[in-house]
Each structure stands twice: as C-alpha cells, then as structure tokens.
Amino acid sequence: MMELCACVERELDKVLHKFLSYEQHCEQSLEELLCYVSQLRQELSSAALQGSPLSATLSLVMAQCCRKIKDTVQKLASDHKDIHSSVSRVGKAIDRNFDAELCSVVSDPVWESREKQQQQQILQMAIVEHLYQQGMLNVAEELSQESALNVDLDFKQPFLELNRILEALHEQDLCPALDWAISNRQRLLELNSSLEFKLHRLHFIRLLAGGPDKQLEALSYARHFQPFARLHQREIQVMMGSLVYLPLGIENSPYCHLLDARHWTEICETFTRDACALLGLSVESPLSVSFASGCVALPVLMNIKAVIEQRQCTGVWSHKDELPIEIELGMKCWYHSVFACPILRQQTTDSNPPIKLICGHVISRDALNKLINGGKLKCPYCPMEQNPADGKRIIF
C-alpha cells in the first residue's frame, strides 16, 4: 500500500514542481512585458507632447511590442496546457495503482436496511469520538451539531481532560500530568503503571539541564523518588550519579543520554496509554482501528470478489455479518480470547458458544448436539457419561 501511495506521490510532486516553475516563469515574463510596454508608453507620451507625428521607428517598435505580447501569451498558454497533461497523469497513476470500485465488496442492502439510520448514527458517533481523541474538539462539536447527535458531557469530559494534559506535555509543562498522576496514584499502581515515576524523573532531568545553579533544587526534588525506590532503584542510582558531573555539564558526561529529547515523546505515549486504560478508553479510536483493519482486509476481499464473479458463484457470499474467508489482521487487533472447538475444529460464535461439561472439558454446542446418543452424552476426552442439559455455557 505504501509503495502504491509513493507512486502517486511522485507524480504529484512532478505536478507541483511544474506549477511552481510555471508560476515563476509567468511572473517573470509578465513583469518584463509590463516594463517593455511602460517604456513604449513613455516614448509615445513624449512624442505626443512635442506635437511631432508618429515616426517610422516608433511604429516599428509598436508592431514589435504587439508581436511580443502575442508571443508571450501564446507561450504561457502552451506551458499551461503542458501542466494539464501532468495533472491527467496523476489521475492515471491513481487509477493504475488503486481500484476505483471498492463498493463492490459491500452489497447495497447492507446500507438500505431498516437499521440504516441507526448505522449512520453509530458511524457518526465513531467519527466524533475519533475527533475528540485527536484533540479536534471544535470540529467534533460542529459535526455533533450538524448531525443532530446528542453527545453527553460525561462522554466528552475524559477526552477534554486527556487533551488538556497532552497539550501541556507537548509544551513541556509537567504540572497538569503530575497533578493527575498523583490524584490517581492508587489506581495507576493497580495497573502496574510507572507513569508517576517517569514524570518525576523527567522533572528531575529538567532541573539537571539547568546546570550547577539547580543542584540544590534537584537534590531536594529527589525526595519524590522515595516511594519508587524498590521498583526503580537502578534508574534512581543513575540520576543520582549524574549529579557528580553537574558542574561540568551533563551534556558532556556519560549521562548525556538523560537529556535526549525522545523522553518527551515517550512520556506522551506512556500518559496516553495509561490514562486511556484508567478512563476505560482505547488508546486508538475505534474508527482508526476499523480503518487500519479495512486497509488490510480490502485487497483480500477484492481478490475474493473477483474469483467469485469469475466462477459465477455469487450466492456463496451474502455480504452481511460474514466473510468468505478468515483474514489475519495480526496480534495488534486481538482484543479478546478466541476458542476453537477441539471436536469440530471451528471457532465458537454467539449462536454456537463454548459449553463446559461436568468433567471440565469444553466443546462447542454443535459438537455437544452431535455427540448426544440416547439422551446421554459421553465426553470425547474421558469416559464420563452425563446429561447434556448439565453443560454450562462459558464466556472467555
């Protein structure tokens, strides 16, 4: 996908380069032409004031001026046509590298069903949530008003707080994040989060960057590390050792890595991850996850669609609530446990859930129904006979 985008981007860069060259050439040509016409006008004005008739020389110059204007305009028009051909090549590159008809993998009835309005609201809500999570609060508010979505303040509040703190961190202001981490210390500890320690460490490093004048303040601030001494002893020792080199400058010492700017990027990522976990939010919005998954799945579905149409078996795939094949999205998109029945070797679903037998073994409901003989069920893994009704549905 990135290679295809790069091909289109190269064609686009060529067009932009031609536009810039044309703009510069056009301005220069018109400027020269204006200067030439202005000089000729002055000469004609001087001749008129003197009352002398138009000389043959001036007549020739006027003819040359008209010819030059015509030639310049034709040259600019010709160059402009060349740009049109370059723009059309961008369109051809898009058509060549991307399939224009993506809607063929989704049947129209999916969007024309009775639940169409509900589906649209769900999609609009996903877009609004994504905008809130990206910090585009004004755009999210505008979309909510235009689509008549009733977004509750309790829904918006976590995103508002999250973005307020992230904006402060981007400006290297640690105070809002520290206040938030301290007020949520117990809940962060339950998540095994090291966010508060990393914030204190970054504040300490900022004091180190201040040089010898900040040494006493840094030593005093080091008391904040006491609650984290057991889990972060090595890191605390490194920071304390750096104080020895403070008079010479940390940037010229073996501890210069402490001043690396990437620590600010890492603290933003750590805060986003831990805060989202604490607030019950996903680090990535559902919209971005769905979009990324679609980018992975779409090429496969397009190929399957072509094969189905080629073999004239269009009834195989009804489009709704199912896919013709399993598509691997990678570990990043694993959000819950998956159970496959060891008997039928099929993944369990809501209509075919996993059932726990009295003996402790787990099979799918379809497998259980197939194994019933004379109103009794014999476990396929152990000789225990049992009543099928004693099986209990389990949820992983």
Side-chain angles (χ1 to χ4, degrees), residues 36-104:
Y36 186 71
V37 171
S38 297
Q39 290 175 1
L40 180 59
R41 183 180 179 182
Q42 289 177 0
E43 291 179 11
L44 290 172
S45 299
S46 299
L49 290 173
Q50 293 174 5
S52 58
L54 190 65
S55 65
T57 305
L58 279 176
S59 298
L60 180 62
V61 171
M62 285 184 64
Q64 289 177 346
C65 180
C66 292
R67 194 180 304 111
K68 186 172 183 179
I69 292 173
K70 184 178 180 181
D71 292 343
T72 302
V73 171
Q74 288 179 347
K75 180 68 169 63
L76 292 177
S78 176
D79 292 344
H80 195 267
K81 287 181 180 178
D82 290 339
I83 294 178
H84 279 284
S85 63
S86 299
V87 172
S88 66
R89 279 197 290 270
V90 174
K92 291 176 182 178
I94 293 173
D95 294 338
R96 186 172 59 252
N97 291 289
F98 298 97
D99 197 317
E101 186 53 52
L102 301 179
C103 297
S104 62

Side-chain angles (χ1 to χ4, degrees), residues 20 31 48 56 61-62 90 100 127 130 162 167 193 216 221 238 243 246 266 355 368 372 375 387:
L20 291 173
E31 191 68 34
V61 171
M62 285 184 64
V90 174
I127 296 173
H130 176 77
L162 188 68
E167 285 178 6
S193 169
L216 291 177
Y221 193 83
V238 169
L243 289 170
L246 199 57
E266 290 176 358
I355 304 295
L368 182 145
I372 296 175
N387 187 346

Side-chain angles (χ1 to χ4, degrees), residues 29 34 37 51 53-54 62 71 101 133 166 182 193 199 237-238 258 260 285 309 346 350 368 371 380:
S29 299
L34 285 171
V37 171
L54 190 65
M62 285 184 64
D71 292 343
E101 186 53 52
Q133 195 154 348
L166 277 174
I182 292 170
S193 169
L199 289 167
Q237 288 174 344
V238 169
L258 293 176
D260 197 326
S285 70
E309 290 178 349
Q346 294 176 349
D350 290 338
L368 182 145
L371 291 170

Side-chain angles (χ1 to χ4, degrees), residues 171-200:
E171 295 174 1
Q172 299 191 356
D173 180 7
L174 293 168
C175 292
L178 273 170
D179 292 341
W180 184 89
I182 292 170
S183 62
N184 293 280
R185 176 178 294 170
Q186 189 57 41
R187 296 173 65 193
L188 287 171
L189 289 175
E190 292 173 1
L191 294 174
N192 294 321
S193 169
S194 58
L195 175 64
E196 185 180 352
F197 168 75
K198 289 181 178 180
L199 289 167
H200 284 304

Side-chain angles (χ1 to χ4, degrees), residues 241-258:
S242 66
L243 289 170
V244 177
Y245 293 89
L246 199 57
L248 301 175
I250 300 297
E251 62 277 4
N252 302 317
S253 73
Y255 298 93
C256 60
H257 65 276
L258 293 176

